[in-house]
């Protein structure tokens, strides 16, 4: 029996292993960028526009997950830009809004047809030109909500059948920019963002039929802006983002609309970042690009649900225990292979890394300040083991 341990004891067993894994894929073979657009049509993902070291972009790249390769597609018309909005309706991509390197905002919009690899102008945006808005599509209609220049909570709907924009009921949360969204089963959700003075973590559901917004349980973890949202197997995923103090996050969360509940996912293994892009193909979601403390990125990561494949990876079985009064982290590796264990802060910084021998009881010194931490372990042949703990 342990006595007088002024700490949290955390035991994480096989049954608690996560169902999702992150895998790094081929980098975007173009300028690293942030504040780009990402969307998917059929079996391909697309990344375009963005900002790269003082340069605005209007190129477009297509990703093929089967060959894990990229191809350059037709350049988007109009002014090169970042902070643009995009959505997909009837297998066509729609991209517009955004601003240029001189902070001039634009209200033009364009339709991309992947079957011909051509762009065409559509009706200009109805409202004041904005950037860093959220955008999504449901039931043949596209939406743009919130955004900056100035901060707004207005919502606009685009109908490609009539080529008309229409203003809808305002978003019920406070005005914001750099929020994120995802759509699950023809229902849209918005969370996070920046209100001009502080990052946010409130969470809202949009009812298309009644044109109303309902506030739900807030996103776990730190408030943030520039996060990314995507949809994987009828669940919403939110990861990354940062705050005005310069922190970049890589914690990840899954929302299950069936039970209105958030679940912690494996920590994003890449650098924590803001203003990345995402798209979903089949049962996998993808994240690319963004900006972090070391610069602008062009890497690509896949998030897949291993329960959806025929032969899922085996799950690691380890037990962990941190005892702050002794500044010791204890690990029991039940696996038959060496496990690499990492301790990661909420900002995404790597605090410690240890290689745990197979079938061993292992301890190492670890000094941690008060706060929340993630423990990640992998042996390269199994699902990542990720758990969260706090030091009080």
């Amino acid at each position: 029996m342990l006595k007088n341990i002024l700490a949290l004891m955390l035991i994480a067993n096989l049954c608690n292993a996560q169902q999702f894994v992150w895998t790094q894929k081929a980098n975007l073979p173009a300028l690293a960028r942030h504040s780009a657009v990402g969307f998917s049509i059929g079996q391909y993902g697309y990344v375009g526009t963005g900002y790269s070291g003082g340069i605005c972009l209007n190129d477009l790249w297509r990703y093929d997950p089967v060959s894990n390769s990229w191809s350059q597609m037709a350049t988007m018309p109009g002014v090169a830009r970042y902070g643009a909005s995009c959505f997909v309706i009837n297998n066509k991509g729609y991209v517009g809004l955004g601003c240029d390197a001189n902070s001039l905002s634009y209200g033009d919009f364009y339709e991309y047809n992947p079957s011909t690899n051509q762009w065409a102008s559509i009706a200009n945006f109805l409202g004041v030109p904005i950037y860093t808005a959220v955008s999504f599509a449901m039931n043949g209609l596209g939406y743009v909500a919130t955004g900056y220049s100035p901060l707004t909570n207005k919502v606009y709907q685009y109908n490609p059948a009539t080529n008309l924009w229409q203003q809808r009921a305002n978003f019920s949360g406070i005005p914001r920019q750099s929020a994120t969204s995802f759509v699950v089963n023809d229902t849209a959700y918005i969370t996070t963002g920046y209100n001009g003075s502080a990052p946010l973590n409130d969470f809202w559901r949009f009812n298309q039929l009644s044109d109303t917004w309902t506030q739900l349980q807030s996103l776990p973890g730190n408030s943030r802006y520039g996060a990314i949202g995507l949809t994987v197997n009828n669940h919403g995923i939110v990861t990354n983002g940062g705050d005005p103090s310069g922190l970049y996050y890589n914690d990840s969360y899954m929302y299950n609309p069936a039970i209105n509940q958030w679940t912690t996912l494996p920590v994003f293994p890449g650098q924590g970042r803001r203003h990345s892009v995402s798209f979903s193909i089949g049962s996998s979601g993808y994240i690319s690009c963004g900006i972090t403390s070391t610069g602008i990125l062009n890497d690509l990561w896949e998030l897949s649900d291993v329960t959806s494949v025929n032969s899922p990876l085996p799950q690691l079985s380890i037990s962990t225990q941190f005892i702050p009064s002794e500044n010791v982290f204890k690990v029991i590796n039940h696996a038959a292979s060496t496990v690499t264990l990492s301790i990661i802060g909420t900002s995404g910084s790597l605090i410690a890394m240890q290689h745990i021998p197979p079938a061993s009881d292992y301890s190492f010194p670890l000094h941690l300040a008060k706060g929340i931490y993630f423990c990640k372990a992998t042996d390269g042949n199994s699902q990542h083991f990720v758990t969260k703990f706090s030091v009080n």
Side-chain angles (χ1 to χ4, degrees), residues 75-332:
T75 297
M76 176 183 163
V79 176
R81 66 195 69 199
Y82 71 97
S85 297
C86 70
F87 46 80
V88 173
I89 303 173
N90 296 329
N91 292 319
K92 292 182 179 179
Y94 295 85
V95 181
L97 303 178
C99 86
D100 63 18
N102 297 315
S103 298
L104 179 62
S105 300
Y106 294 87
D108 50 342
F109 243 92
Y110 302 91
E111 176 191 82
Y112 176 70
N113 186 338
S115 64
T116 61
N117 188 31
Q118 292 180 334
W119 292 89
S121 296
I122 65 169
N124 283 356
F125 185 63
L126 178 62
V128 174
I130 54 175
Y131 60 98
T132 59
V134 294
S135 50
F136 50 86
M138 297 185 298
N139 298 312
L141 299 172
Y143 293 84
V144 173
T146 69
Y148 183 73
S149 188
L151 284 175
T152 181
N153 63 352
K154 292 182 179 180
V155 179
Y156 295 89
Q157 172 189 288
Y158 176 71
N159 186 340
T162 59
N163 191 29
L164 293 175
W165 290 91
Q166 180 182 4
Q167 186 171 356
R168 309 302 296 173
N170 286 355
F171 169 62
S172 296
I174 59 177
R176 66 194 63 198
Q177 65 170 314
S178 302
T180 193
S181 65
F182 55 81
V183 174
V184 179
N185 295 326
D186 292 325
T187 301
Y189 301 83
I190 289 180
T191 186
T192 68
Y194 185 69
N195 68 2
S197 60
L200 306 165
N201 71 340
D202 52 341
F203 182 50
W204 297 82
R205 180 180 63 209
F206 176 56
N207 186 313
Q208 186 182 37
L209 293 178
S210 62
D211 196 23
T212 58
W213 296 87
T214 302
Q215 188 168 10
L216 304 174
Q217 178 186 359
S218 295
L219 175 77
N222 295 303
S223 298
R224 64 195 68 197
Y225 72 98
I228 200 68
L230 61 157
T231 304
V232 177
N233 283 349
N234 294 321
H235 292 81
I237 309 294
V238 176
T239 186
N240 293 168
D243 67 21
S245 70
L247 291 177
Y248 297 85
Y249 303 120
N250 62 358
D251 47 337
S252 305
Y253 303 95
M254 178 184 72
Y255 177 72
N256 185 343
I259 58 176
N260 187 29
Q261 181 175 307
W262 289 98
T263 302
T264 301
L265 289 185
V267 172
F268 175 68
Q271 291 179 274
R273 63 194 67 192
R274 296 195 308 258
H275 304 305
S276 52
V277 297
S278 70
F279 52 86
S280 298
I281 304 173
S283 61
S284 296
Y286 296 84
I287 292 176
S288 184
C289 303
I291 184 170
T292 189
S293 58
T294 58
I296 304 175
L297 305 167
N298 68 341
D299 51 349
L300 175 69
W301 295 83
E302 177 190 61
L303 177 66
S304 57
D305 181 355
V306 296
T307 62
S308 67
V309 300
N310 293 328
S311 300
L313 292 171
Q315 297 173 330
L316 282 176
S317 178
I318 69 172
S319 300
T320 62
Q321 176 188 351
F322 177 57
I323 307 177
S325 60
E326 301 177 15
N327 291 316
V328 169
F329 199 95
K330 297 183 177 182
V331 185
I332 300 177

